[in-house]
């Protein structure tokens, strides 16, 4: 599904990713861990097309398509979704209008007619239940005045609405209490299928108690330096990142 | 620049003709106004209230003035299409400064008068005389004097005591001419105690010549009366417009003044509101979508002259191209105006590097028991919000549109008539998309 080859990326002339390789196949869950400043969030920003970052070398293909040539909105319609570490508040734009615009763009991309108002509300209701999102939140402006946990839940709600083929969860666990973490993880697990895949970017192991990864990668200094199974995450939790740093300094 | 001379000469030559085709009540003020105009001339940018004003410059064009009031033919069908779907408005027109009642317009509620000011001067001289000039008499403003020197007509709206107009009243100003034209209108609005009305004034220009439209409006809102004034300007790059509006509010009256500018050349909205009676409330605000070389200025003064009054002021500008926007708002709370609540906000988005915004929010407080705030922001469109929306699959242009519409939404929420609000919202949307914004079926503009 996703093929990242020798990816180099920089921001303001500073190189952050330095030759990153990663292959993700349908049905897989990949966890990417690593110390602060390793380039975890840069990877998700580059995959979603954040204009602040420049790719200087390497390729990324998504189902054979050159992902880097696509605009952020085209990537979304191709099935890439990112749950933001810091979801943006958009005062004045209602959740309903926002979601409806997004869903209809996706439908248009697949050659479908826009959904009717009643169908759309039905879909919203079903997805809200799935991820236990407070009904009132969707009557408000996008993320405006939402608590940290509500914002993260809202990200998973949007993911449920758009049904991506590849979802990237960028530090979705940060700032969540145990209950919210469980709700978010349940949502992600419920959406999991053999046709889609997830990349979970996280600092801590605890989210991986709820969402069990097939692969755990350690990102350090701009490239993936170690890959293992879920036990690698446990080792990192116990011993921290110092042994990685020592090994690669 | 001495643009005054041509108008001074014009008045000297044509004052007889002017007076012959105007009402006595207007003529009574004319010579005095002219003397003042001759003495002080047009305001300059050396004056605080005109610091960033560009409107004076537009008077250098050699406009024609219709002194002999030659009537232009009016075709009901052509202009009637300006109707707002979904509501019945009581519709009137001004073609240049000539008042016109379409045949289809039904009669207004009992006792409510809407006619030309010259007709009102003839039919209700006492009523007109009681109010006309009450707000302008103390002004030493070159533009006020200019209007009082030359204006020959305008509209007159009177709502008697406790009478409530259910339908909004709509007045459409159409500028139409074969040659460059300067028009003056002198308008008077009176709401007696407990009266209620909503007025929508639309400005359009239908010919491709230079226009300068100078409207001077006095509005009196008596105790417990309730008045909404919505102004929509959708003209063209060659239309310059100066709207001076002076409002008096008595005790427990309520007013909404909302000016929406979607297309123009150079405009100055000059609005002064005197809260003279305790418990009066005002919402004053507006929005602008401006681009190319358009210039827009909102100059406002709210005077809290009595205790327990509330005022809330909110202006929002969206500037693209090389557009220039100015907001100059002053709220004055006099010593005896205790328990005043006054809030003033101005938010602006500059979409290009060349767009310019000047803003000057001002509060002058002489009372000691008040709640007041003021503030202004000018920035660019929120790039992080734009990116966030794009990652959900929404087109960048569509996302921009949604953000800009959201930015102006709270201004449109102050239009109390729902179908009208919807119509305005869709006009703003079309304007933001860069489409033509003429109303459905309108052949005029």
């Amino acid at each position: 599904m996703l093929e990242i080859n020798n990816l180099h990326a920089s921001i303001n002339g500073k190189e952050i990713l330095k030759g990153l390789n990663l292959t993700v196949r349908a049905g897989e869950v990949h966890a990417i861990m690593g110390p602060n400043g390793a380039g975890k969030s840069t990877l998700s920003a580059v995959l979603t097309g954040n204009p602040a970052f420049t790719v200087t070398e390497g390729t990324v293909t998504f189902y054979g398509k050159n992902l880097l040539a696509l605009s952020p909105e085209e990537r979304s319609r191709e099935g890439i979704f990112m749950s933001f570490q810091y979801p943006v508040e958009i005062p004045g734009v209602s959740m309903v209008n926002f979601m409806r615009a997004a869903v209809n763009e996706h439908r248009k991309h697949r050659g479908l007619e826009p959904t009717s108002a009643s169908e759309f509300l039905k879909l919203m209701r079903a997805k809200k239940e799935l991820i236990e999102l407070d009904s009132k939140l969707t009557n408000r402006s996008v993320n405006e005045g939402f608590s940290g946990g509500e914002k993260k839940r809202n990200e998973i709600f949007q993911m449920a609405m758009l049904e991506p083929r590849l979802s990237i969860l960028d530090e979705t666990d940060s700032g969540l209490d145990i209950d919210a973490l469980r709700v978010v993880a349940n949502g992600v697990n419920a959406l999991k299928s053999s046709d889609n895949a997830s990349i979970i970017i996280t600092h801590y192991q605890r989210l991986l108690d709820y969402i069990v990864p097939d692969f755990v990668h350690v990102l350090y200094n701009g490239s993936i330096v170690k890959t293992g199974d879920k036990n690698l995450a446990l080792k990192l939790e116990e011993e921290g990142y110092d042994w990685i740093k020592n090994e690669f300094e | 620049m001495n643009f005054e001379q041509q108008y001074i000469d014009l008045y000297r030559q044509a004052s007889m003709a002017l007076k012959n085709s105007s009402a006595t009540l207007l003529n009574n003020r004319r010579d005095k106004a002219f003397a003042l105009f001759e003495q002080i001339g047009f305001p300059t940018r050396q004056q605080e209230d005109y610091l960033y004003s560009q409107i004076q410059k537009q008077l250098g064009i050699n406009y024609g003035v219709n002194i002999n009031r030659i009537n232009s033919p009016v075709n009901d069908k052509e202009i009637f299409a300006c109707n707002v779907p979904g509501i019945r408005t009581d519709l009137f027109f001004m073609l240049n400064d000539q008042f016109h009642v379409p045949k289809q317009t039904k009669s207004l509620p009992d006792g409510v008068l809407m006619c030309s000011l010259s007709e009102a001067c003839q039919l209700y001289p006492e009523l007109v005389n009681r109010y006309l000039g009450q707000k302008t008499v103390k002004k030493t403003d070159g533009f006020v004097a200019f209007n009082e020197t030359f204006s020959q007509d305008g509209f007159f709206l009177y709502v008697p005591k406790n009478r409530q107009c259910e339908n909004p009243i709509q007045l459409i100003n159409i500028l139409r001419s074969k040659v460059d034209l300067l028009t003056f209108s002198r308008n008077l609005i009176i709401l007696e105690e407990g009266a209620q009305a909503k007025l929508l004034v639309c400005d359009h220009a239908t010919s491709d010549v230079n226009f300068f439209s100078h409207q001077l409006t006095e509005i009196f809102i008596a105790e417990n009366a309730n008045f909404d004034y919505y102004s929509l300007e959708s003209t063209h790059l060659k239309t310059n417009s100066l709207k001076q509006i002076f409002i008096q509010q008595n005790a427990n009256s309520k007013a909404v003044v909302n000016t929406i500018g979607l297309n123009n050349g150079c405009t100055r909205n000059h609005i002064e509101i005197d809260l003279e009676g305790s418990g009066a409330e005002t919402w004053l605000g507006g929005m602008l979508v401006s681009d190319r070389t358009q210039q827009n200025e909102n100059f406002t003064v709210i005077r809290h002259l009595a205790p327990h009054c509330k005022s809330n002021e909110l202006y929002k500008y969206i500037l693209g191209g090389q557009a220039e926007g100015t907001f100059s708002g002053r709220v004055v709370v006099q010593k005896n105006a205790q328990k005043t609540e006054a809030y003033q906000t101005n938010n602006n988005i500059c979409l290009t590097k060349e767009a310019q915004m000047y803003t000057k929010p001002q509060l002058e407080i002489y009372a000691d028991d008040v709640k007041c705030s003021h503030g202004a922001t000018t920035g660019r469109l929120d790039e992080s919000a734009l990116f966030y929306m794009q990652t959900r699959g929404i087109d960048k242009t569509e996302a921009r549109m949604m953000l800009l519409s959201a930015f102006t939404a709270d201004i449109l929420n102050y239009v109390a008539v729902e179908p009208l609000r919807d119509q305005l919202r869709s006009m703003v949307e079309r304007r933001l998309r860069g489409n033509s914004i003429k109303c459905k079926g309108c052949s005029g503009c």
Side-chain angles (χ1 to χ4, degrees), chain B residues 268-339:
Chain B
R268 175 179 162 104
N269 290 319
H270 173 143
I271 300 172
E272 297 186 29
I273 300 177
D274 293 336
L275 299 170
E276 294 195 354
S278 163
E281 284 180 30
T282 283
W283 186 91
L284 169 64
M287 59 161 284
L288 280 169
V289 184
S290 191
D291 57 11
R292 289 164 286 167
T293 54
Q294 295 174 339
Q295 296 171 327
N296 274 286
E297 180 185 13
N298 282 297
F299 172 87
T300 69
V301 183
I302 298 176
R303 293 186 197 86
H304 282 263
L305 303 168
H308 299 284
C309 292
K310 282 185 196 165
S311 69
N312 204 331
E313 188 171 2
L314 177 65
Y315 279 91
K316 295 202 169 185
Y317 292 43
I318 298 173
L319 305 176
Q322 297 104 52
E324 192 178 300
T326 303
F327 171 75
S328 172
R330 190 155 72 232
V331 177
V332 185
V333 182
Q334 290 299 359
K335 204 170 174 186
N336 64 329
Q338 300 293 5
K339 305 284 180 193

Side-chain angles (χ1 to χ4, degrees), chain A residues 48-50 72-73 76-77 81-82 84 88 90-93 98 102 105-106 143 155 158, chain B residues 382-385 387-398 402-403 405-407 409:
Chain A
T48 47
N50 189 325
E73 54 267 42
S76 166
R77 295 172 206 153
F81 179 89
M82 175 167 78
F84 279 61
V88 182
I90 313 178
V93 176
F98 170 67
E105 292 276 12
H106 281 251
N143 291 323
E155 295 291 289
Q158 292 173 40
Chain B
D382 184 351
E383 292 289 331
S384 61
F387 177 64
Y388 185 76
M389 295 172 86
Q390 283 178 272
T391 66
R392 293 338 185 209
I394 301 171
D395 255 347
K396 193 172 184 180
T397 41
E398 188 64 26
M402 287 172 80
L403 289 174
S405 291
F407 177 71

Side-chain angles (χ1 to χ4, degrees), chain A residues 96-242:
Chain A
V96 175
N97 284 345
F98 170 67
M99 240 22 265
R100 197 156 166 205
V103 165
N104 282 335
E105 292 276 12
H106 281 251
R107 288 179 66 90
K108 196 164 103 192
H109 185 68
R110 298 203 299 269
L112 299 170
E113 292 289 306
T115 115
S116 74
S118 67
E119 257 176 79
F120 178 74
L121 291 174
K122 219 192 272 172
L123 181 70
M124 289 250 297
R125 210 172 306 128
K127 302 295 185 183
K128 270 191 287 196
E129 271 171 32
L130 182 72
I131 57 119
E132 302 175 44
L133 186 77
D134 190 332
S135 229
K136 278 176 283 181
L137 293 183
T138 51
N139 294 332
R140 307 226 304 247
S141 291
V142 179
N143 291 323
E144 195 186 25
F146 287 26
S147 72
E150 285 168 342
K151 281 181 184 166
K152 294 297 171 75
R153 260 188 234 195
N154 191 21
E155 295 291 289
I156 304 305
F157 165 69
Q158 292 173 40
M159 179 176 144
M161 290 293 290
L162 298 175
E163 298 180 333
R165 298 198 278 184
L166 174 67
S167 43
I168 303 160
L169 298 141
D170 187 3
E171 310 245 358
T172 296
D173 49 342
S174 68
L176 289 189
D177 60 31
I178 289 296
D179 288 332
L181 193 68
R182 184 190 49 77
V183 169
V184 164
N186 285 350
V188 173
N189 286 331
L191 297 169
K192 199 182 159 206
S193 81
S194 58
D195 298 327
N196 60 28
S198 312
I199 296 174
I200 296 164
I201 293 171
T202 180
H203 217 70
Y204 305 104
Q205 190 270 336
R206 58 175 196 169
L207 180 64
L208 305 180
D209 285 341
Y210 298 94
I211 308 171
V212 182
D214 301 300
F215 300 95
V216 174
H217 309 278
V218 179
L219 183 59
Y220 178 66
N221 197 20
S223 66
I224 286 173
V225 295
K226 237 181 183 34
T227 296
D229 60 10
K230 62 180 177 183
N231 293 316
L232 178 58
L234 292 169
K235 184 174 157 75
L236 288 169
E237 181 77 3
E238 245 168 61
E239 301 179 17
Y241 290 107
D242 282 350

Side-chain angles (χ1 to χ4, degrees), chain B residues 73-123:
Chain B
V74 181
N75 179 351
D76 274 7
K77 266 193 196 135
E78 176 196 342
I79 49 185
F80 211 76
C82 281
N83 222 337
V84 181
I87 42 165
R88 204 179 81 89
T89 58
D90 293 311
L91 192 62
F92 301 89
F93 289 92
M94 296 267 290
L95 180 63
N96 304 328
D97 70 341
Q98 174 193 327
F99 191 83
H100 175 71
V101 186
K103 287 186 198 75
Q104 293 91 325
T105 298
K106 308 240 166 52
S107 58
L108 292 162
D110 222 15
V112 177
L113 307 170
M114 177 79 176
C115 61
S116 72
L117 185 62
S118 56
E119 190 183 340
C121 287
Q122 277 173 6
L123 297 178

